Amino acid sequence: MIRNKKQWLLRGLSMLAILLLSGCSSLSYYTQLAEGQLDLLRAREPVADVIADPQRDPKLREHLRKAQQAREFASQHLHLPDNQSYRLYADIHRQYVVWNVFATGEFSLDPVTHCFPIAGCVAYRGYYSQGAARGEAALQKLDGKDVYVSGVEAYSTLGWFDDPIISSMMNWGDERLATLIFHELAHQRFYVQDDSEFNESYATFVEQEGTRQWRAARGLPAEGASSESQRRDQLTTLVLATRDRLKALYAEPLSPEVMRQRKAAEFERLRSEYRTMRDSQWSGDKRFDTWVYAPMNNARLLPIGLYDQWTPAFAALFKQVGGDWPAFFAAVEKMGALPKDQRKAALERLSKI
């Protein structure tokens, strides 16, 4: 009886939180969100128990042990939330925890947004089932939208629940897992509604600076940008240039037929420039071929560049406060309280320092 009461309480709390987080009108969408989150909550177990169990995979136990060292560092040295998030583990038995559906107009780079009372407006809709995500994508396509479905290995509930380390994250290296913990705990520390660029750039800076300090604390040398990171940045530059050209194109008074032809030409230009860069500068490294040569549309470009647009501004802010984390977070919160146009102007000023 107690167990049943606990299950119903957990189900009720899950549904309530999801309804608060979601502004969607579809009951079926509410239901899949609630059930998916509930399944994740049920799968959680203390990381300490997994590490202590000799019957569990030794590689998993060691990976989690190192993750817990980073988790302690996050709270003790980076002044990030000290709670049960990332001190729990959940095996979900699938590659991704959710699938996000991005959509735009055929001749637009503005995303179809979905607004939630707590999280604010975001440029995607998440599904715990790949089939449901594909179904939503098909409906959007029937409506004439450009659509992109992207699998996600981890996400944050912004402190509403104790977020676990998920099995979908276990293919990452020890340091990559640590950076994810720093990033997501930064979101728990502070989050602004309706400003993804601010939120993600802020969390990315915390991730990067936190990783630098985490390496220093273990006596490891500062690590320069890896070849993969450098090449990802170069590809991002190409994609952002393509977005700029498409934005200018879509503002022109052209017929739909001509617009489609020129749109397709821009995507071919992106692929051509990528091939030249890959073969002349990367020694033929094809690690990004799958993404570049997949069917291309406006929605596929949406996530690119989102996570680091204002990272230099937050780096400048951190330097201004002398590298003091509490002072940095106080300054971020002060900036986050500004109206969006004033917040953007403040970030632009910091970026020029």
Side-chain angles (χ1 to χ4, degrees):
M1 185 66 176
I2 294 176
R3 181 181 178 186
N4 288 338
K5 285 183 177 179
K6 184 176 180 181
Q7 288 177 342
W8 278 108
L9 177 60
L10 189 58
R11 184 184 295 272
L13 288 173
S14 299
M15 180 64 77
L16 175 61
I18 292 300
L19 291 175
L20 287 171
L21 285 165
S22 175
C24 302
S25 59
S26 168
L27 181 59
S28 62
Y29 186 69
Y30 281 156
T31 301
Q32 70 90 24
L33 284 179
E35 291 178 348
Q37 181 63 41
L38 182 60
D39 287 343
L40 187 61
L41 295 177
R42 284 173 169 166
R44 296 178 307 175
E45 57 184 319
V47 167
D49 290 354
V50 179
I51 294 174
D53 185 354
Q55 301 302 314
R56 304 296 283 265
D57 181 2
K59 291 183 179 179
L60 171 65
R61 294 165 63 198
E62 179 63 14
H63 202 11
L64 290 175
R65 185 186 67 80
K66 292 179 179 178
Q68 292 311 281
Q69 293 175 348
R71 178 64 185 85
E72 293 301 319
F73 184 85
S75 294
Q76 294 177 9
H77 297 276
L78 307 182
H79 296 266
L80 292 169
D82 191 1
N83 53 32
Q84 284 300 302
S85 289
Y86 310 110
R87 292 185 170 113
L88 302 168
Y89 174 70
D91 190 344
I92 61 173
H93 306 287
R94 61 181 186 269
Q95 183 178 4
Y96 299 113
V97 61
V98 294
W99 287 261
N100 287 339
V101 180
F102 297 86
T104 70
E106 183 182 6
F107 304 127
S108 173
L109 291 168
D110 295 328
V112 174
T113 57
H114 305 276
C115 298
F116 309 100
I118 302 301
C121 297
V122 295
Y124 55 84
R125 208 176 187 195
Y127 292 84
Y128 284 90
S129 161
Q130 186 178 25
R134 288 176 172 173
E136 171 64 16
L139 290 175
Q140 294 278 6
K141 288 179 181 178
L142 286 175
D143 196 34
K145 300 290 194 302
D146 278 13
V147 184
Y148 173 50
V149 178
S150 175
V152 178
E153 290 117 333
Y155 69 90
S156 171
T157 61
L158 304 179
W160 278 82
F161 298 104
D162 293 325
D163 295 317
I165 296 172
I166 309 173
S167 56
S168 52
M169 301 155 61
M170 286 296 99
N171 289 328
W172 299 348
D174 294 328
E175 189 161 297
R176 177 68 186 93
L177 183 54
T179 66
L180 182 280
I181 291 172
F182 301 156
H183 185 105
E184 298 301 344
L185 287 175
H187 283 315
Q188 289 191 19
R189 174 76 192 240
F190 188 67
Y191 186 90
V192 178
Q193 282 195 356
D194 305 334
D195 198 339
S196 295
E197 291 84 359
F198 179 93
N199 293 323
E200 296 301 343
S201 296
Y202 146 71
T204 295
F205 169 74
V206 174
E207 164 193 325
Q208 292 174 351
E209 178 61 22
T211 301
R212 188 192 67 77
Q213 294 187 16
W214 173 230
R215 291 182 62 83
R218 293 176 294 153
L220 298 176
E223 186 177 46
S226 67
S227 61
E228 180 175 358
S229 176
Q230 290 175 332
R231 291 170 184 179
R232 188 180 301 276
D233 288 346
Q234 290 174 319
L235 176 58
T236 296
T237 298
L238 288 184
V239 172
L240 294 180
T242 302
R243 284 207 314 214
D244 287 342
R245 292 194 300 271
L246 286 170
K247 185 176 181 179
L249 169 63
Y250 297 151
E252 295 185 22
L254 302 173
S255 68
E257 293 78 10
V258 174
M259 189 78 79
R260 289 188 187 100
Q261 292 173 3
R262 292 185 57 181
K263 174 184 175 181
E266 286 297 345
F267 289 131
E268 284 307 310
R269 176 177 173 178
L270 170 62
R271 294 188 176 104
S272 176
E273 291 177 345
Y274 165 78
R275 282 194 299 272
T276 298
M277 182 172 65
R278 179 197 66 190
D279 296 339
S280 64
Q281 301 179 37
W282 298 0
S283 301
D285 185 342
K286 297 182 179 181
R287 72 183 72 193
F288 297 117
D289 277 21
T290 300
W291 188 89
V292 172
Y293 290 110
M296 194 69 71
N297 61 32
N298 297 324
R300 194 173 182 83
L301 306 185
L302 284 178
I304 306 299
L306 176 66
Y307 283 73
D308 53 13
Q309 179 177 353
W310 298 116
T311 301
F314 287 106
L317 181 61
F318 190 72
K319 186 176 181 180
Q320 278 187 354
V321 299
D324 180 86
W325 283 109
F328 170 75
F329 290 122
V332 170
E333 291 170 10
K334 183 177 179 180
M335 191 187 308
L338 296 172
K340 191 169 184 178
D341 57 343
Q342 295 182 31
R343 186 163 61 243
K344 183 177 179 179
L347 289 167
E348 289 175 341
R349 288 194 296 272
L350 284 167
S351 296
K352 297 175 182 178
I353 295 177

